[in-house]
Each structure stands twice: as C-alpha cells, then as structure tokens.
Amino acid sequence: KAGVTQTPRYLIKTRGQQVTLSCSPISGHRSVSWYQQTPGQGLQFLFEYFSETQRNKGNFPGRFSGRQFSNSRSEMNVSTLELGDSALYLCASSLRGQGSVEKLFFGSGTQLSVL
Amino acid sequence: DQQVKQNSPSLSVQEGRISILNCDYTNSMFDYFLWYKKYPAEGPTFLISISSIKDKNEDGRFTVFLNKSAKHLSLHIVPSQPGDSAVYFCAASNAGGSQGNLIFGKGTKLSVKP
C-alpha cells in the first residue's frame, strides 16, 4: 500500500507570494491533518479534514487554509507569505472516525523557504 | 501555552545502555499518548502508544511508562542502538472528545554513540 505522498518536496518563495501544497493520503484513509515543523517549536497542528470538512483547527492565522477533495486528497494554501512561514509542512493521514484516536501516518513533508 | 512538554532538547547515550526520554503534559483530559520517531528528511513514524487506563506498554526494546498523577510519561529504549539516533516526539490526545487531533511536544534529539 502506498504511503502518504506530499508534493512538492521543496519550494522557494518570496515574501508576499502565496503557495499551495498537496497531500495524497493512504488509500482508504479519510482523515488528513497538516502540521508545521520548525526547529524551535516542534510539530504544531494546523488543521484536520475528514470527508471534505474541516473538523479541527489549530491556532494559525487565516492566511493558512486548506481543503479536502472527494477522493480524500488535500491541499494547504498559505497566502501573503512571511519569512516566519519557512518550515517543514507535514501531512498525515489516518482512518480516524469521530471520537477516536489512531496513529497518524506522515508524509515526508514539503520544505518551504520564504526569502 | 505548551500542553505537551519535552524539556530535554537533546540526549546522548552510549550504545548498549538505556535511553530515557521524558514528556510532561498539562491537560488532564488527555487520555491517549504516542511516541513518534523522526529521521532527517523523513516524516515522523509511529513508535509506540499507551492509553490512560494503563501505566506501561512494551514493544520489543521500547517501553512507555505513564504516571497520570504526575502527568508524566517516559520512553525507555533498552539496549540503545546507533540506528535509534533520531528526534523523538511525544504526542497526546483527548480521544473521547471532539478534539481528537494529536498535540506534539517539541522533540528530543537522541544520539546513540557506538
């Protein structure tokens, strides 16, 4: 079974631009979560989508948004990029139904550099 | 406000000895805990988990201990191997609530020296 696939692996943008990251979950997984990893902050939760609906949201500004498609693939968008948005963005998928916790399967991430 | 804290950013251990990684949490509603391991340029991979109804879970060389009264958990690796060198993340969740997403600590970088 193929793992979680994230594209692109690396991205370089300049301040003020916007970026879209893509994530394909493991086949059959309906939950997709996004995390931001920075050296000083560890993994910080951005949001979770389940069956095309945002189910949970972390404490990030509205510049960070996402969506999920009917095939469970997900995209994350960051508008008006700032230098501090430079980070590794990780996508994770799971079967997770409401009220349950299952282990997450992570992709290799997209390394975003904002210049 | 960090709900999950890993106060040691790094740990160095000799091969064959025990590695003990610690994690503290503040939210008493957390009832499920997991450890993930991350190598450079890869995503985190699941290592071991424990439910709050238990105080110990063992899987091969890896054992997780949970002390609910102290809101503390630890991961023991015995014996440690050079291939265990990675960043270890502690994560917690309130499985019974709607907020089932995982909250991660900042990670501890483990170096196992041959």
Side-chain angles (χ1 to χ4, degrees), chain A residues 7 12 20 22 27 31 42 48 51 56 66 69 78 86 100 105 115:
Chain A
T7 56
I12 299 175
T20 299
S22 180
S27 177
S31 168
E48 180 204 6
S51 294
N56 289 304
F69 302 95
V78 188
S86 295
S100 70
F105 294 83
L115 306 178

Side-chain angles (χ1 to χ4, degrees), chain A residues 9 35 37 40 56 99 101 104 107, chain B residues 36 38 41 43 93 95 99 102:
Chain A
R9 280 301 305 269
Y35 287 84
Q37 186 191 6
N56 289 304
V101 175
L104 299 177
Chain B
Y36 280 78
K38 185 181 186 297
S93 179
Q99 195 76 11
L102 297 183

Side-chain angles (χ1 to χ4, degrees), chain A residues 82-97:
Chain A
E82 300 176 359
L83 295 179
D85 296 334
S86 295
L88 179 67
Y89 290 88
L90 291 160
C91 167
S93 75
S94 73
L95 289 165
R96 193 169 87 82

Side-chain angles (χ1 to χ4, degrees), chain A residues 101, chain B residues 3 25-33 51-52 68 71 92-101 103:
Chain A
V101 175
Chain B
Q3 295 188 68
Y25 60 96
T26 57
N27 189 340
S28 58
M29 298 298 292
F30 286 147
D31 56 7
Y32 195 72
F33 305 89
S51 164
S52 60
K68 287 190 294 292
K71 294 191 180 70
S93 179
N94 174 13
S98 60
Q99 195 76 11
N101 55 281
I103 306 297

Side-chain angles (χ1 to χ4, degrees), chain A residues 36-101:
Chain A
Q36 181 196 64
Q37 186 191 6
T38 55
Q41 296 299 320
L43 273 72
Q44 293 190 288
F45 174 72
L46 281 152
F47 28 64
E48 180 204 6
Y49 286 87
F50 184 87
S51 294
E52 302 179 66
T53 301
Q54 187 181 88
R55 189 157 64 174
N56 289 304
K57 189 177 189 303
N59 295 323
F60 277 80
R63 300 186 296 107
F64 292 81
S65 63
R67 59 178 177 168
Q68 187 180 32
F69 302 95
S70 58
N71 61 359
S72 293
R73 191 177 70 84
S74 177
E75 286 182 349
M76 191 192 106
N77 186 275
V78 188
S79 63
T80 320
L81 284 166
E82 300 176 359
L83 295 179
D85 296 334
S86 295
L88 179 67
Y89 290 88
L90 291 160
C91 167
S93 75
S94 73
L95 289 165
R96 193 169 87 82
Q98 186 70 29
S100 70
V101 175

